[in-house]
Amino acid sequence: MAETDPECRVFGARRHQWRLAPPVPEAVVARHEREHRFELPASYRSFITTVSSGGAGPAYGLYEFGSKSWLDWQEDLDLLPVPFPHNGPFRPSPERSVCAEHAPGEEDFSPCWFTGSLVIADIGCGSFYRLVVTGPDRGQVWTDDLGCGDALSPGPDFRDWYGQWLSRSC
């Protein structure tokens, strides 16, 4: 892809420059899972341990697993074992708060909206891609457009999501 787009004209390519970070060792992933009491979905785990721990990918690319930038975007790693609370598009409103500690009308985002999910990529303008790691939608990549006043929306499994990006970018 770097050869077909050397000037990095595909959206986000200027940031990742079509580069992939080296895979992360299995032992590092296993330690992270033990420390935070959850298991990564098989398709994502396989990708980061055999292909790349981050870099070229949808939007501005994948955050490198375990890196400072990756950790900076995770709301609360202790909430990863708690199942992801949504089963369809979610738009917060005073009538539709998902947890008791979020008062109606608050403008900040409640961590309970994102339990069981990891931020894996930056779309820009306050939007992200989230990988669901716990709950019925485990393995799916959701689009988090809440920062733009839109919704948190379901998407495909990580492998399909990444494959779709590859197909569109070539």
Side-chain angles (χ1 to χ4, degrees):
M1 290 168 58
E3 289 176 10
T4 61
D5 183 30
E7 284 125 21
C8 297
R9 292 180 185 198
V10 170
F11 176 75
R14 288 185 193 262
R15 186 175 296 174
H16 56 67
Q17 300 286 306
W18 299 112
R19 293 189 195 115
L20 292 172
V24 65
E26 180 68 37
V28 171
V29 173
R31 184 178 65 239
H32 185 82
E33 290 173 330
R34 275 192 313 277
E35 286 175 11
H36 300 289
R37 302 174 331 275
F38 79 102
E39 289 183 18
L40 290 170
S43 60
Y44 180 69
R45 184 189 185 115
S46 173
F47 182 86
I48 65 172
T49 59
T50 63
V51 178
S52 171
S53 59
Y60 289 111
L62 298 175
Y63 286 123
E64 189 174 341
F65 178 83
S67 70
K68 180 174 177 358
S69 61
W70 183 85
L71 289 169
D72 285 347
W73 287 108
Q74 308 314 323
E75 279 78 20
D76 186 345
L77 294 173
D78 292 335
L79 293 176
L80 291 175
V82 179
F84 187 67
H86 313 291
N87 58 9
F90 168 72
R91 284 184 176 83
S93 69
E95 302 82 40
R96 197 170 164 197
S97 180
V98 252
C99 57
E101 62 271 11
H102 181 77
E106 282 185 4
E107 292 195 6
D108 60 324
F109 299 136
S110 175
C112 68
W113 295 346
F114 310 112
T115 60
S117 71
L118 292 169
V119 173
I120 59 169
D122 180 4
I123 301 171
C125 300
S127 297
F128 302 93
Y129 288 116
R130 294 181 166 278
L131 175 68
V132 176
V133 297
T134 315
D137 293 326
R138 186 173 188 273
Q140 288 182 342
V141 177
W142 283 51
T143 303
D144 177 353
D145 279 333
L146 293 174
C148 293
D150 203 357
L152 186 60
S153 305
D157 176 77
F158 176 82
R159 181 171 289 130
D160 294 336
W161 173 77
Y162 197 83
Q164 290 168 9
W165 170 77
L166 284 172
S167 296
R168 287 189 308 267
S169 297
C170 293

